[in-house]
Amino acid sequence: MHGLMQNWPLTVDKILDHAKRWHGATEVVTRTVEGPVVRSTYGELHARARRLSNVLLGFGIKRGDRVATLAWNTARHMEVWYGAMGIGAVCHTLNPRLFAEQLVYIINHADDRVIFTDLSFVPLLRDLRPRIPSVERIVILTDEHSAQACRKDELIFETLLNEASPNAVWGGFDENTAAGLCYTSGTTGDPKGVLYSHRSNFLHTLSITNADVFSLSARDVVLSVVPMFHANGWGLAFVCPGLGCKLVLPGPKLDGPSIHELLESEKVTFTAGVPTVWQMLLAHLRETRGKLTTLKCIGVGGAAVPDATVRAFRDEFGVQILHAWGMTEISPIGTVSSPTNATASLSAAEQFQVSLSQGRTTMLMDAKLVDDAGERLPHDGKTFGRLMVKGPFVVERYFRDEPTQKRLDGEGFFDTGDVATIDPHGFVKITDRAKDIIKSGGEWISSIDIENLVMAHPKVALAAVIACAHEKWSERPLLIIKLRPGESAAKNDFLAFLEGKIVTWWMPDDVVFVDDLPLGATGKIDKKLIRKQFADYRLPMR
Ligand code: ADP
C-alpha cells in the first residue's frame, strides 16, 4: 500500500522558490570580480535566475545539456546555477586553478555547450577555444561597461538578462534528473566527473542543515569562502537559501585582508573553507592585531586541520573550528566533529582530540572500515582501515562510466581512498590517503599526523611528509618544510620538536627545506607533485 502524501519531487529549484517566498528580502552580498561590493536579495536572485533560464532556452539548451561555469563565488554565478538547474540542464563547475590541459580534457569529456565565465578567465578561454569544439558560446559574467572588446561568439551576461523574458517554468521533471557535474581535481589521477542529481543535492542539503553539522539557522550570516567549483561548493549555495541565511560571496579575493574585511563589515557568523585559507587569515590577524567581533565558527575541511590552527582560533579569537571530512564523490560533506553527550563528559584534553578528528557521519551517510580483502574491521579507535561510505548522495559511478562498471563493493559501499580509524563513539579519524600513507616494515605511518605536529612549530609555514624508498624498511618518512618568511632553522630543531610526540619509528629519516610547497587546484598541498619532485631523493642511510 502506498502512503497518501503529496508527490513533491525533490528538485533544487524549490529551494530558491522557498527563499524567494519566505526570505525574499534577505541579502546576498558579493565582492564582485570588477571590484566593488554589491548587494542583492534572494528575491532578486530568483528573478534574475529565471531570466537566465530563458536565455539558456533561447540558446537551445535542453534538459541534460551541460552548461559550464568558470567563475568565482558571486551572485551571478549562483544565478547561473539555479537558472540552469531549474530547467533540467546540468551545471558543470570548472575549476580555474586546473592546468589548461586538464580543463580541455574536462570540457571535452563533459561536452559543454556554453561556458559562463568571469572577466578574469576570458584570456584563458580564448586560448583554449580551438581545442573545445563543443562550446558554442561564451557568456562573460559582467555588464557592457566593464566588458572589454568582445568577440562575436562572446556575449555579455547583463545584456542577455535585460533582453530575456522574466517568466520561466522551473521543475516538473523527475527528482533523479542530473543537476550538477563536478570533476575531482585529479590530486590522485585523471579527473573523474561526479554527476549530482536534484534528489542527491536536496537530501545533502537537508542533511547538512542539521544542527550537528554546522549549527546554521536563518539567524546566521554565512561567508562562503569554499569556491562553488570545489566539490559542489560544499552545498552552501543550497543550504543558505534553504535556511534563509544572509549569504556573503567573496568573489576572487581569498587573501587574509579581504576575507577579514568581509567578515567584519558584513557581520559574518559562520564561514567555511580549506585550512590554507584560515592559516592566511590567522597570519593577517596576528600581523595587524585584528579582531573577529561577530564570527562564531569556521567549518574546515578538504584537508586535515592542524591542531595549532584550532587552538589559535579558539584561544586568540574565541572562534570554534568545526572539522569536517568530505569529498567530491559524496556531495561532499561526510563527517563533522560536533561533540555528543558522551564526548562532552570527557576530559578537556580528550574533548580537544575529539574536535581534531574528522567527526561522526552526517544523517543518511553510513560508513565502515575494511581491510585490503574487504573484511570489516572494528571501530576501536586503533585499527586502521579503508574508509567506505554509502548513502543517497554518494556516487554510484562516474560520468560516462559503462553502466556495468563497478565502483561499489558487494554491500553497496564506495571506497573513499582514505585510510581511517573509527572510535567507539563513532568519530572518524582520517589517517591518510591510501596513496600517501607510509608503509614502513609492514607497519603504517600517518603523514597527516606528523605534518600536523610540525605545523605547530612557530617557524613553520607549511609542512609535507612523503614516503621515500628505503632498502630495509621499504618506505620511510621524509619531512619537507617551508619556513615562515625570515626564519632559519636546522634539521635537528624539528626532529627534537617531534621527540616524545610520536613513536620513535615514526621519526622522519630526513628533513628538507624548500622555498615553496606546491598547492593543488583546491588549495591543498599537492603530494602527487611533491612525490614527483622528490622521486630521485635518496635518504641518508641509517
Ligand atoms: P581531490 O580528491 O581532487 O583533492 P576532493 O576535494 O574531493 O578533491 O578531496 C577529497 C579528499 O580530501 C578526501 O578523500 C580526503 O583525502 C581529503 N580530505 C577531505 N577532508 C579532509 C579532512 N578533514 N581531513 C583529512 N583529509 C581530508
Side-chain angles (χ1 to χ4, degrees):
M1 189 190 288
H2 279 162
L4 293 175
M5 308 310 282
Q6 295 182 8
N7 185 4
W8 199 84
L10 303 176
T11 57
V12 297
D13 48 286
K14 293 190 172 104
I15 295 177
L16 197 61
D17 281 349
H18 170 83
K20 171 208 150 189
R21 201 159 300 135
W22 303 105
H23 303 278
T26 301
E27 278 187 311
V28 179
V29 180
T30 300
R31 187 196 295 282
T32 55
V33 175
E34 295 88 341
V37 171
V38 299
R39 315 186 90 78
S40 171
T41 62
Y42 284 124
E44 286 168 40
L45 199 141
H46 182 275
R48 287 165 53 88
R50 288 246 165 160
R51 283 177 180 267
L52 200 261
S53 293
N54 280 326
V55 170
L56 292 173
L57 292 168
F59 290 167
I61 296 291
K62 298 182 299 302
R63 282 186 195 166
D65 284 351
R66 268 76 64 201
V67 170
T69 59
L70 187 62
W72 300 109
N73 290 10
T74 65
R76 286 182 180 135
H77 193 174
M78 262 180 79
E79 286 155 11
V80 181
W81 273 40
Y82 280 96
M85 294 182 199
I87 56 167
V90 178
C91 183
H92 173 202
T93 44
L94 291 164
N95 182 345
R97 295 178 183 143
L98 291 175
F99 295 117
E101 286 314 313
Q102 285 174 310
L103 279 173
V104 167
Y105 170 86
I106 289 173
I107 294 167
N108 287 331
H109 191 267
D111 222 0
D112 292 328
R113 287 189 61 189
V114 43
I115 301 181
F116 286 81
T117 180
D118 277 331
L119 274 169
S120 19
F121 310 120
V122 173
L124 167 68
L125 274 182
R126 284 183 183 164
D127 276 356
L128 304 187
R129 208 62 213 276
R131 290 185 285 158
I132 46 174
S134 65
V135 177
E136 297 155 30
R137 291 180 180 83
I138 305 262
V139 180
I140 307 174
L141 292 161
T142 191
D143 58 20
E144 296 98 280
H145 310 297
S146 309
Q148 287 109 21
C150 274
R151 295 190 184 171
K152 253 210 323 261
D153 55 354
E154 293 168 352
L155 304 159
I156 295 169
F157 187 72
E158 292 298 331
T159 313
L160 293 172
L161 280 200
N162 283 338
E163 289 165 358
S165 118
N167 299 314
V169 179
W170 278 355
F173 40 77
D174 186 278
E175 64 186 20
N176 288 302
T177 302
L181 178 62
C182 185
Y183 282 72
T184 61
S185 59
T187 323
T188 52
D190 260 346
K192 296 191 272 305
V194 179
L195 190 59
Y196 306 111
S197 68
H198 281 262
R199 175 186 151 84
S200 71
N201 273 338
F202 209 110
L203 293 176
H204 180 256
T205 306
L206 295 180
S207 145
I208 52 174
T209 47
N210 278 311
D212 274 334
V213 179
F214 293 141
S215 231
L216 291 174
S217 77
R219 295 175 295 287
D220 278 295
V221 178
V222 175
L223 173 68
S224 176
V225 170
V226 54
M228 290 164 71
F229 54 74
H230 180 197
N232 207 15
W234 295 10
L236 291 174
F238 303 119
V239 168
C240 294
L243 288 172
C245 332
K246 171 176 161 183
L247 177 60
V248 185
L249 298 162
K253 292 201 168 157
L254 305 183
D255 56 286
S258 306
I259 293 296
H260 185 214
E261 188 189 315
L262 280 181
L263 289 172
E264 287 299 301
S265 62
E266 298 304 325
K267 300 188 170 33
V268 172
T269 59
F270 175 85
T271 181
V274 293
T276 36
V277 176
W278 310 119
Q279 281 146 13
M280 288 193 297
L281 175 65
L282 197 58
H284 165 74
L285 291 172
R286 283 173 169 164
E287 225 172 88
T288 57
R289 295 173 186 269
K291 298 236 169 343
L292 296 171
T293 56
T294 55
L295 188 68
K296 290 190 224 138
C297 178
I298 307 179
V300 184
V305 62
D307 60 355
T309 310
V310 180
R311 271 184 223 279
F313 276 102
R314 184 193 61 186
D315 299 344
E316 295 169 40
F317 301 98
V319 170
Q320 181 197 8
I321 295 248
L322 260 183
H323 192 195
W325 165 85
M327 61 195 309
T328 307
E329 286 91 334
I330 65 173
S331 295
I333 309 282
T335 63
V336 182
S337 68
S338 291
T340 62
N341 277 340
T343 65
S345 57
L346 298 173
S347 71
E350 285 168 323
Q351 285 188 47
F352 185 66
Q353 286 310 314
V354 167
S355 76
L356 289 180
S357 80
Q358 280 75 5
R360 289 160 51 83
T361 57
T362 49
M363 194 175 98
L364 306 179
M365 178 74 71
D366 196 8
K368 68 175 179 181
L369 290 180
V370 299
D371 62 17
D372 282 342
E375 293 301 320
R376 280 185 188 249
L377 293 169
H379 294 182
D380 57 9
K382 290 190 225 87
T383 313
F384 292 22
R386 298 183 83 94
L387 180 63
M388 312 282 291
V389 292
K390 177 178 179 174
F393 39 85
V394 174
V395 71
E396 183 166 295
R397 54 178 191 273
Y398 293 101
F399 186 48
R400 298 202 193 283
D401 269 358
E402 290 300 325
T404 48
Q405 189 135 6
K406 283 257 171 298
R407 298 281 186 184
L408 311 180
D409 75 1
E411 293 179 335
F413 281 82
F414 170 74
D415 185 345
T416 64
D418 287 332
V419 174
T421 59
I422 303 181
D423 77 8
H425 297 296
F427 284 79
V428 171
K429 180 111 182 93
I430 304 286
T431 318
D432 238 322
R433 278 207 157 156
K435 289 196 170 69
D436 294 340
I437 204 147
I438 300 150
K439 294 186 174 160
S440 173
E443 297 289 345
W444 290 1
I445 299 174
S446 160
S447 66
I448 293 186
D449 281 357
I450 306 177
E451 284 159 9
N452 282 347
L453 287 168
V454 174
M455 285 293 289
H457 192 289
K459 290 186 173 177
V460 173
L462 282 175
V465 174
I466 58 164
C468 264
H470 191 282
E471 244 174 59
K472 178 166 173 201
W473 301 110
S474 139
E475 288 177 356
R476 291 292 304 156
L478 168 68
L479 171 60
I480 303 161
I481 293 178
K482 174 187 172 185
L483 293 170
R484 290 193 184 188
E487 295 290 357
S488 62
K491 292 180 183 190
N492 270 337
D493 298 350
F494 298 100
L495 300 178
F497 182 73
L498 284 172
E499 229 167 74
K501 298 190 176 88
I502 51 174
V503 287
T504 49
W505 59 273
W506 278 35
M507 196 56 81
D509 278 28
D510 201 6
V511 183
V512 177
F513 298 100
V514 290
D515 292 337
D516 215 354
L517 277 172
L519 297 184
T522 46
K524 308 181 204 180
I525 290 176
D526 189 341
K527 292 255 185 104
K528 200 165 74 170
L529 198 59
I530 299 175
R531 270 197 295 267
K532 245 192 222 158
Q533 289 170 350
F534 284 84
D536 298 328
Y537 185 81
R538 293 284 161 265
L539 286 169
M541 269 304 149
R542 296 215 218 160

